[in-house]
Amino acid sequence: MLLNDRQTIGGYPKLGSVLSLDISKLTQLSATNKVSFEPISIEEAHNLLHLKNMQNLRSQRQINHNKLSEDIENLLVSRNLRGMQSVSAYLDKGSYLRAARLIHQCAAEGTVLIGTGFPVNGSFETDGPVGAIALYEAIEKLGGHPIIVCDRPLFNALDGHFNTHEILFDNDISEEIIDIHNPSLIIAIERPGQAGNGCYYNMRGVDISSKCANFDSIMRKSSCPTIAIGDGGNEIGMGNIPHALEELNIQASTTPCDELLVADVSNWAAHGIIALLSVLTNKDLLKNWDNTAVLQFLSNNGSVDGLTGENTLSEDGLPSSESQLLVQTLRQMTGHDDSV
């Protein structure tokens, strides 16, 4: 075999050529290694070279982070299930990218508190906990220390499987939680937020205060950055945009945050943030996400669909397959899905 430093072959016959992609493998062999060859056509060789070039381009391509964030933001309110498409117009563009950058920075600095859990029919709804678990796993992969903060019965379901801290219905322990954990970031996802009168309400306007512990105080009292995610207007964080909620038939939350994100389903916002985290860290953080498995875990512990109130593998009336398809779409948008 003659490589780049070869002499001219003159009139000697040339038996074949080694595929250029394999030359580097030959240069790493020692004199005693054995080599075998397999014939391929010129067309196959060209196809292999083209595939390799495409893979190199994909890995080297420059992604416009701002445009990607806006595309994800538009995608996640495109169904406009509860008016979030119009509400999103009141938010500065790039909210998902800013949230992802905050998580990327703060996860490396220490503890991230994730508050979730919305009471429905004596249990907790699936929207919120699924996204909280997704964020929890992503933050762990980035070297952070996530803790899910919630009340019963969700606390009973998660404790022992995740780092958790229980908040109580009749006792505001926000300062104690802040002192113990000294969080670098706090995230609220689909967590009821106090209305102007200090009470909590569901989407039907029913007062659910007796079933809600106070996570609002943790958001308000902490000195670290705060992110909130909602899909209806009665969740923590919606206090940022009171005028945007005036046309919605709800008892709106007045609790603010530093960065508010909205989506048709709050869990979807978590996946959108993680997609951008994947780009920022060059890690495919959504690759092994199994939405049905997470829903099954929650269902086994008594979760209900927030829309139907039934113990089903669904989120706000939508089957698990819808969320799994969304995750695949997000991976395609970020260049991490090899099937494209």
Side-chain angles (χ1 to χ4, degrees), residues 152-174:
R152 296 173 186 262
L154 178 58
F155 175 78
N156 295 336
L158 301 183
D159 190 38
H161 301 277
F162 304 91
N163 298 320
T164 56
H165 197 122
E166 181 182 6
I167 45 177
L168 308 174
F169 296 106
D170 54 356
N171 186 14
D172 181 359
I173 58 172
S174 55

Side-chain angles (χ1 to χ4, degrees), residues 6-278:
R6 66 184 180 271
Q7 71 276 25
T8 59
I9 61 174
Y12 291 100
K14 184 177 181 180
L15 301 180
S17 296
V18 176
L19 183 66
S20 59
L21 298 176
D22 292 335
I23 294 295
S24 60
K25 300 175 184 177
L26 289 174
T27 60
Q28 298 173 24
L29 298 177
S30 67
T32 59
N33 287 133
K34 295 182 178 179
V35 178
S36 60
F37 296 93
E38 179 181 339
I40 61 172
S41 67
I42 294 177
E43 290 76 15
E44 288 177 293
H46 286 165
N47 288 340
L48 288 170
L49 182 60
H50 177 70
L51 178 61
K52 182 63 177 179
N53 288 336
M54 290 297 294
Q55 291 173 339
N56 288 339
L57 285 173
R58 176 177 291 181
S59 63
Q60 296 171 4
R61 71 173 183 162
Q62 295 296 314
I63 294 178
N64 185 323
H65 292 175
N66 293 322
K67 184 179 185 305
L68 177 61
S69 182
E70 290 182 28
D71 288 344
I72 289 175
E73 290 157 31
N74 292 333
L75 171 67
L76 296 182
V77 296
S78 60
R79 297 196 182 189
N80 202 29
L81 301 176
R82 282 174 291 277
M84 290 300 103
Q85 191 173 79
S86 58
V87 168
S88 66
Y90 288 80
L91 302 175
D92 292 335
K93 294 184 183 301
S95 57
Y96 276 71
L97 178 59
R98 291 191 296 274
R101 283 173 171 163
L102 266 178
I103 294 174
H104 187 206
Q105 172 188 341
C106 295
E109 295 176 353
T111 298
V112 178
L113 302 183
I114 307 172
T116 192
F118 207 113
V120 176
N121 288 357
S123 185
F124 57 91
E125 70 162 301
T126 53
D127 191 24
V130 172
I133 291 171
L135 288 168
Y136 182 104
E137 292 182 351
I139 291 168
E140 270 201 329
K141 291 174 183 176
L142 296 178
H145 179 60
I147 299 174
I148 298 180
V149 181
C150 55
D151 42 22
R152 296 173 186 262
L154 178 58
F155 175 78
N156 295 336
L158 301 183
D159 190 38
H161 301 277
F162 304 91
N163 298 320
T164 56
H165 197 122
E166 181 182 6
I167 45 177
L168 308 174
F169 296 106
D170 54 356
N171 186 14
D172 181 359
I173 58 172
S174 55
E175 292 183 1
E176 176 185 330
I177 290 175
I178 293 170
D179 289 342
I180 292 173
H181 299 295
N182 188 25
S184 59
L185 176 67
I186 300 174
I187 305 171
I189 175 168
E190 192 66 13
R191 180 69 200 177
Q194 290 173 329
N197 61 3
C199 296
Y200 297 96
Y201 297 88
N202 64 18
M203 288 297 289
R204 299 173 181 84
V206 177
D207 189 334
I208 56 173
S209 301
S210 63
K211 302 178 179 65
C212 290
N214 186 345
F215 190 76
D216 305 62
S217 293
I218 299 175
M219 297 282 286
R220 291 179 183 273
K221 294 178 180 179
S222 179
S223 60
C224 71
T226 57
I227 297 170
I229 298 168
D231 62 14
N234 57 343
E235 304 92 355
I236 285 177
M238 293 295 178
N240 286 21
I241 48 171
H243 299 302
L245 306 175
E246 290 175 351
E247 296 183 4
L248 301 181
N249 185 27
I250 57 167
Q251 288 277 0
S253 165
T254 59
T255 303
C257 65
D258 293 322
E259 194 68 63
L260 173 64
L261 283 69
V262 298
D264 289 332
V265 178
S266 291
N267 288 339
W268 293 359
H271 301 317
I273 294 172
I274 296 168
L276 283 160
L277 274 171
S278 296

